[in-house]
Amino acid sequence: MSDWDEVVRLGLGLPGVEVSTSYGTPALKVGGKLMARLWEDGQTLVLVKIGFDQREMLMEAEPDVFFLTPHYKDYPSVLVRLPNVAAATLQGLLHQIWREVAPRKLVKAEDAG
């Protein structure tokens, strides 16, 4: 079970991540690029930069956690029901997204250890 506070805690554990806003809602960004934002209902997280194939696999494997609305069908994003997602799953996805959107120098520094 997760909530926005958990998302922030996990996100701020990644280099360069900051709390910001997107479309008037709380968001996590790195290098000014969006990673995730809280949906207007306060219970749903929008994760960006999830590949279409992975999105389908997530929704098929855990339909009570991952879903889509028609608005997002053409974007590489997935919606996450925060009360239903395990923190470990969320942490892994945030790290994956971070690697996609973070400035290359941050990723290289993490890889170098």
Side-chain angles (χ1 to χ4, degrees):
M1 182 176 202
S2 298
D3 60 14
W4 177 249
D5 290 338
E6 180 75 0
V7 173
V8 169
R9 185 185 71 75
L10 295 170
L12 292 179
L14 297 165
V17 172
E18 61 186 16
V19 178
S20 185
T21 59
S22 178
Y23 297 102
T25 63
L28 293 179
K29 294 181 180 179
V30 61
K33 294 182 180 178
L34 182 64
M35 291 176 51
R37 77 173 187 93
L38 190 63
W39 222 21
E40 291 78 4
D41 69 359
Q43 298 291 309
T44 304
L45 187 68
V46 180
L47 291 176
V48 302
K49 297 292 183 176
I50 294 289
F52 293 106
D53 290 339
Q54 182 180 13
R55 177 176 78 184
E56 291 303 315
M57 289 176 12
L58 289 168
M59 292 189 310
E60 186 175 309
E62 295 185 77
D64 60 320
V65 175
F66 301 101
F67 70 105
L68 199 58
T69 63
H71 173 79
Y72 291 99
K73 75 178 182 74
D74 294 328
Y75 299 99
S77 302
V78 69
L79 301 173
V80 182
R81 292 179 180 96
L82 286 174
N84 298 354
V85 68
T89 300
L90 188 56
Q91 183 176 26
L93 290 169
L94 286 171
H95 186 255
Q96 174 189 328
I97 293 165
W98 177 86
R99 290 187 65 83
E100 286 290 319
V101 301
R104 294 296 109 204
K105 68 180 182 177
L106 286 179
V107 176
K108 284 182 183 180
E110 184 192 49
D111 290 345

